[in-house]
Amino acid sequence: MELQRRGFIQGMGALGAASGLSFDAVAQAAKAATPAAKASARPPLETRHIKSGCAICPNFCGIDATVVGGVVRTIYPDTARAEFYNHGICPKGASGMYNTYDPYRLKKPMKRTNPKKGPNEDPGWVEISWEEAFNSLTVRLAKIRADNPSKLVWQHGQGKYLIQEQFCEAFTKAYGTPNMVHRTTACEAARHVADELTWASANILPDLKYSKLLLNFGANYHEGEQASRWLDWQTAMSREQNDLKIVVVEPRLSGVAGKADEWVPVRPGKDVVMLLAMAKVLIDANTIDEPFLVEFTNSPQLVDAAGIIVKDKDGKTPLVWDTATNSAKPYVTGVTPALKGGYTVDGKPVRTAFTVLSDSLKDITPEYAEEVAGVPAATTVRLAQLFAKEARIGETIEIEGQKLRYRPAVLYSFRGLSAKEYGVQGWRTGLILNMLVGSIDAVGGLMLVGGAYARPQYFDVSKCEFPPTRADLAQSVFYPYSNHHIAQTTCLTVQDPAAWSLPYTPEMQIFYGTNRPVSIPNSWQQFEGLTKTYNVVIDILMTESAWYADMVLPDKTYLESWHFAPTRGTPDTGHSAIRQPMTNPFNLEYDAFTIMWELMKRQGLRDKFAQECNKSWGLKDVTFKPGRDYTQREGVEILWADKTKKDFSVAIEQGFVGSRKTAKSKYLSGAEDKFKGPGKAKIKLYADQLIDTYYKVEGIAKKNNLAKIDLPLYKIAYSPLPNKDHAFPTPHREAKDYPFYVITHKRMYRNQSGNTVNNVILNQALGADAATNYVQMNVTAAAAAGIKSGDTVTIETRVGKIKGTAQVVQGIRPDTIAVSYHYGQWSPGYSPAGRKGTAINQVLEYHPDLISGHNSFNDTKAKVYKA
């Protein structure tokens, strides 16, 4: 796998040559240099300050760059955006120019000459012109399109956040393929789907400005959360100004846990049982918000013995038990629904959905949770009582003249409850805890920043498409609610399409800004899929995915390009932003947008592409016009004009425009407006669409004899309420001879996509700790195995073995090991400093969530011993 660097660079002139001098050598050379003869005075270099946005991770922080003589010298946070989002930037963002000036950058298109693909195969790269690249791809794309356009698959990761997904969607729709696949199942898809099943939209944030208690189940916002640069500042301010108390529940003492008021080390994957036990404590003590449960949620709806919500004569409207007439009725004006109880309807026994939940918790006591989750029963009881107390059930507060529900306690999670085989059910449990105390969309509670009931279709039974039309099987009978695509699946289906009833075999994949196989559990199985298709990679470095490509096209970085940039809204603010180029050290000609445009044009699809761009972006007043080409800047100008109604000079000067929400829009336009009271949709405490969908899956699977569907597992996954089965993923049940739970996490210094792998500041200037990752073990477990910090250890799972460097710590459970998952890259296209650490994804078991398709990053079990 390791090639001689000199020979590799010579054979791949497009990568360039990196300086072999260390920082110390440069400093000594400068110190010893003889002063040069006095030169004639030169005019000072032009200094510019450029407002733009970072694109290294999905926080999208505003940045203010200093550019001297066309060279980016410094990157600082944009202080003007502190009022709206980020008060700082991370080490990746501050050193982002080193990604742009990386001498290992891809600079020219290249094609593969060796048809064999593998980590130890020399691709035989040959540099080609852009004209040859476009001509070759146009011919291939035209041939596939004439046969079956579905045979083209487009995949993106970070690329989604560069030019934005709307352009990718327009490209694939204009071409005619349904196969546009993005990255979310490698990150937080299960949390999104849990939200969608519960309140018909996604994206949540705690209302920290008013919160008094934050129960954080695995959201590491000091490092790897999507809203890190808002959450880290806001939690600090709220602790100082609002007496916010933070309790972190997770197996490892992360940076967030280290700064919390309390750390509760729960056993990996068992959080669901702890949360259910907390729910039991709340219900048994009746410390619940009954008016909220009745008026906002489907808790009063009646459930029959098969688990189905009982409907009115129209077959659609749910029934509740009206306490005024002692009869089953739709919840309309004049009806007073019962929250609790069992009744008889048409001679059949029924219970309210809330009673079904309460009955299901009968045996999930704090003592049982202690046995399963490893958290003392007294701690579970205390935290439940604290949550109820700080929620201040029944209280109101007045803000800007509005009388509002006041529930300043919030339970929050990111990957902690979702990156698992039962990830949807994990976060559904958290949502139920928030419902019980009424904190949903209340002051100080859990804000539905994605817009309550914005996507009503997610309350419906899944279409369970069969046979699947998409190569990733999204929303098919195999993954009915995978509303956010399934990043890892295409590389599996291409290996045996018939096994998944896919009616075609994908022939070509285009990867934009993603190092997909490296980012997914059981990575080598993913790489095998790349041997089955013709692959084109658009990226800035020779990633591992590019090593398996047939053609590689260099992209521009976010410091070299125009982008209409995504932003992260908060509970209080919204904004629109751009990124603008500030340098182009390698004189690159194209970026992803202009590559797309050229390919569309050469296939005679330019006007169709423009039309689809207008649809994908929802453009109304200012649009892409047919019959002409657009530069990247012109495209951004169109989007800015349509979305902001402001002159483009504002974008260039300020980089963004922001707005603040009123108390009325923040607290009264969401759950209060969409769910409260009779005759409205209801938040799904009981997700009846899941059990209805299970019965649909069962029927399709039996009718078509689908061997890929294990109905008992689907029945567990598709429960309308979370239960204790969801704390026992496949490896926990089966890998009984593997004593350690394996968890993964993000670190501040890298993204798994590869675009920060070579950053010399992160790899060298910040010290060795930033350049690699470690196998963290508890001191007790390490001593029993005779392992010390610095020892080389072997991690063995049912998938394979991999080596790593031990780091013995106190801040992790004795039954757990933790490895961050964005190190261990092996591509010869990186610098030696970029190829350090352990690629833990190579040995993680692959058990995706059967509802969302989310990858199970935190379910594997392992043996660990000295190598």
Side-chain angles (χ1 to χ4, degrees), residues 300-485:
Q301 292 176 6
L302 301 175
V303 181
D304 67 17
I308 303 295
I309 295 285
V310 180
K311 307 294 196 308
D312 199 10
K313 295 178 181 179
D314 62 5
K316 298 179 181 179
T317 307
L319 295 179
V320 300
W321 190 260
D322 179 23
T323 58
T325 61
N326 282 323
S327 62
K329 290 186 175 182
Y331 182 17
V332 295
T333 301
V335 169
T336 304
L339 177 64
K340 306 171 185 177
Y343 307 94
T344 301
V345 175
D346 294 334
K348 298 178 181 180
V350 297
R351 294 174 292 169
T352 68
F354 179 85
T355 300
V356 175
L357 170 65
S358 180
D359 290 349
S360 74
L361 301 176
K362 180 179 179 181
D363 298 325
I364 306 181
T365 63
E367 290 72 24
Y368 175 74
E370 178 173 351
E371 176 186 340
V372 174
V375 175
T379 300
T380 296
V381 172
R382 176 173 54 80
L383 290 179
Q385 292 173 342
L386 178 65
F387 192 49
K389 175 184 176 184
E390 293 296 352
R392 308 186 185 197
I393 297 168
E395 291 191 21
T396 60
I397 189 172
E398 185 172 308
I399 302 174
E400 297 175 7
Q402 303 289 336
K403 185 178 180 181
L404 305 166
R405 291 182 297 118
Y406 183 47
R407 303 290 182 273
V410 57
L411 191 151
Y412 184 70
S413 180
F414 185 60
R415 286 171 51 88
L417 290 174
S418 64
K420 302 171 181 177
E421 183 176 354
Y422 297 114
V424 166
Q425 297 289 4
W427 178 233
R428 280 264 306 144
T429 318
L431 286 168
I432 287 172
L433 261 291
N434 283 302
M435 282 184 242
L436 289 177
V437 299
S439 77
I440 304 290
D441 256 4
V443 177
L446 186 73
M447 303 306 298
L448 310 184
V449 295
Y453 204 53
R455 300 170 184 171
Q457 66 269 27
Y458 294 144
F459 278 5
D460 296 336
V461 178
S462 169
K463 61 183 179 181
C464 293
E465 185 181 61
F466 184 82
T469 59
R470 291 174 55 93
D472 68 345
L473 309 178
Q475 296 186 323
S476 73
V477 69
F478 300 104
Y479 299 99
Y481 285 101
S482 50
N483 305 324
H484 299 270
H485 309 173

Side-chain angles (χ1 to χ4, degrees), residues 219-388:
N220 186 5
Y221 49 76
H222 285 327
E223 294 186 328
E225 223 266 18
Q226 281 194 340
S228 289
R229 298 292 75 77
W230 176 77
L231 284 165
D232 57 8
W233 176 84
Q234 189 62 66
T235 50
M237 291 301 99
S238 294
R239 292 184 72 175
E240 179 181 317
Q241 300 170 3
N242 201 35
D243 297 323
L244 173 70
K245 181 175 182 178
I246 301 173
V247 179
V248 173
V249 183
E250 62 182 21
R252 163 184 165 265
L253 185 67
S254 66
V256 170
K259 294 180 180 296
D261 295 279
E262 183 177 357
W263 170 47
V264 180
V266 67
R267 185 169 288 128
K270 312 303 182 184
D271 338 52
V272 170
V273 167
M274 178 185 174
L275 287 167
L276 292 174
M278 290 175 64
K280 178 176 173 58
V281 172
L282 294 175
I283 292 170
D284 287 352
N286 204 37
T287 49
I288 57 176
D289 190 339
E290 291 198 19
F292 177 85
L293 292 168
V294 169
E295 295 176 2
F296 288 77
T297 81
N298 71 343
S299 296
Q301 292 176 6
L302 301 175
V303 181
D304 67 17
I308 303 295
I309 295 285
V310 180
K311 307 294 196 308
D312 199 10
K313 295 178 181 179
D314 62 5
K316 298 179 181 179
T317 307
L319 295 179
V320 300
W321 190 260
D322 179 23
T323 58
T325 61
N326 282 323
S327 62
K329 290 186 175 182
Y331 182 17
V332 295
T333 301
V335 169
T336 304
L339 177 64
K340 306 171 185 177
Y343 307 94
T344 301
V345 175
D346 294 334
K348 298 178 181 180
V350 297
R351 294 174 292 169
T352 68
F354 179 85
T355 300
V356 175
L357 170 65
S358 180
D359 290 349
S360 74
L361 301 176
K362 180 179 179 181
D363 298 325
I364 306 181
T365 63
E367 290 72 24
Y368 175 74
E370 178 173 351
E371 176 186 340
V372 174
V375 175
T379 300
T380 296
V381 172
R382 176 173 54 80
L383 290 179
Q385 292 173 342
L386 178 65
F387 192 49

Side-chain angles (χ1 to χ4, degrees), residues 166-217:
Q166 289 89 334
F167 284 127
C168 306
E169 181 181 59
F171 180 89
T172 52
K173 285 190 173 182
Y175 184 82
T177 178
N179 290 315
M180 184 199 75
V181 184
H182 65 54
R183 49 159 289 285
T184 311
T185 49
C187 195
E188 81 291 353
R191 196 188 76 167
H192 286 335
V193 172
D195 286 337
E196 289 160 352
L197 293 169
T198 305
W199 51 277
S201 192
N203 289 320
I204 49 166
L205 281 173
D207 189 24
L208 293 173
K209 184 176 179 180
Y210 295 100
S211 300
K212 295 291 186 181
L213 173 67
L214 172 62
L215 292 184
N216 179 3
F217 278 71

Side-chain angles (χ1 to χ4, degrees), residues 520-808:
I520 303 299
N522 202 348
S523 295
W524 293 118
Q525 188 181 20
Q526 291 287 314
F527 278 114
E528 186 61 27
L530 296 187
T531 67
K532 308 298 182 181
T533 52
Y534 182 92
N535 307 313
V536 178
V537 169
I538 306 171
D539 215 321
I540 65 172
L541 291 172
M542 181 58 68
T543 64
E544 286 78 8
S545 295
W547 197 253
Y548 274 72
D550 296 274
M551 186 179 293
V552 179
L553 304 178
D555 193 17
K556 293 180 180 180
T557 71
Y558 70 101
L559 301 180
E560 299 168 321
S561 303
W562 290 99
H563 298 145
F564 186 76
T567 60
R568 285 285 167 200
T570 75
D572 296 288
T573 65
H575 19 85
S576 295
I578 69 157
R579 301 189 192 103
Q580 50 187 317
M582 51 192 76
T583 188
N584 189 356
F586 302 114
N587 297 313
L588 299 177
E589 299 175 66
Y590 293 91
D591 71 343
F593 174 82
T594 49
I595 290 171
M596 282 182 177
W597 194 271
E598 188 66 23
L599 289 173
M600 289 281 100
K601 180 179 178 180
R602 291 181 182 232
Q603 293 178 82
L605 297 172
R606 182 185 64 182
D607 290 353
K608 177 68 172 174
F609 182 44
Q611 181 183 35
E612 293 296 343
C613 286
N614 293 333
K615 291 180 182 178
S616 293
W617 281 101
L619 300 180
K620 298 176 182 177
D621 299 324
V622 186
T623 61
F624 288 90
K625 306 297 182 184
R628 58 155 296 185
D629 293 328
Y630 287 90
T631 65
Q632 189 189 29
R633 171 172 172 154
E634 289 170 338
V636 173
E637 286 178 334
I638 285 173
L639 298 174
W640 177 266
D642 188 80
K643 301 300 182 184
T644 72
K645 314 304 180 194
K646 295 184 180 295
D647 191 83
F648 200 60
S649 62
V650 176
I652 294 174
E653 180 180 352
Q654 300 178 7
F656 86 109
V657 291
S659 61
R660 300 193 67 81
K661 300 174 185 176
T662 64
K664 183 177 181 180
S665 65
K666 178 180 176 181
Y667 297 111
L668 298 179
S669 65
E672 292 276 348
D673 179 53
K674 299 298 191 296
F675 297 121
K676 184 180 181 181
K680 293 185 179 181
K682 297 299 170 191
I683 297 171
K684 299 270 190 178
L685 177 132
Y686 186 89
D688 56 294
Q689 71 270 52
L690 284 179
I691 195 164
D692 287 333
T693 295
Y694 168 75
Y695 288 130
K696 190 173 182 179
V697 169
E698 183 182 53
I700 295 171
K702 289 181 177 179
K703 179 180 178 180
N704 296 281
N705 195 27
L706 298 180
K708 288 288 187 180
I709 290 184
D710 184 333
L711 286 174
L713 287 182
Y714 275 76
K715 191 167 188 178
I716 292 172
Y718 277 75
S719 168
L721 288 168
N723 60 59
K724 60 186 178 182
D725 287 338
H726 301 136
F728 295 93
T730 299
H732 293 198
R733 299 192 310 270
E734 297 180 354
K736 299 185 183 301
D737 296 330
Y738 295 79
F740 289 100
Y741 297 92
V742 181
I743 62 171
T744 65
H745 60 96
K746 295 181 180 179
R747 296 185 75 204
M748 184 69 77
Y749 310 110
R750 292 261 181 98
N751 283 357
Q752 68 266 33
S753 63
N755 67 357
T756 53
V757 170
N758 272 358
N759 189 307
V760 68
I761 295 298
L762 302 181
N763 283 337
Q764 294 173 261
L766 295 186
D769 181 65
T772 189
N773 62 349
Y774 301 93
V775 181
Q776 289 189 326
M777 296 184 68
N778 180 272
V779 290
T780 303
I787 294 171
K788 299 179 181 178
S789 286
D791 285 350
T792 299
V793 296
T794 296
I795 303 172
E796 179 184 343
T797 71
R798 297 195 298 175
V799 172
K801 300 178 182 180
I802 196 167
K803 289 182 170 58
T805 302
Q807 186 181 59
V808 179

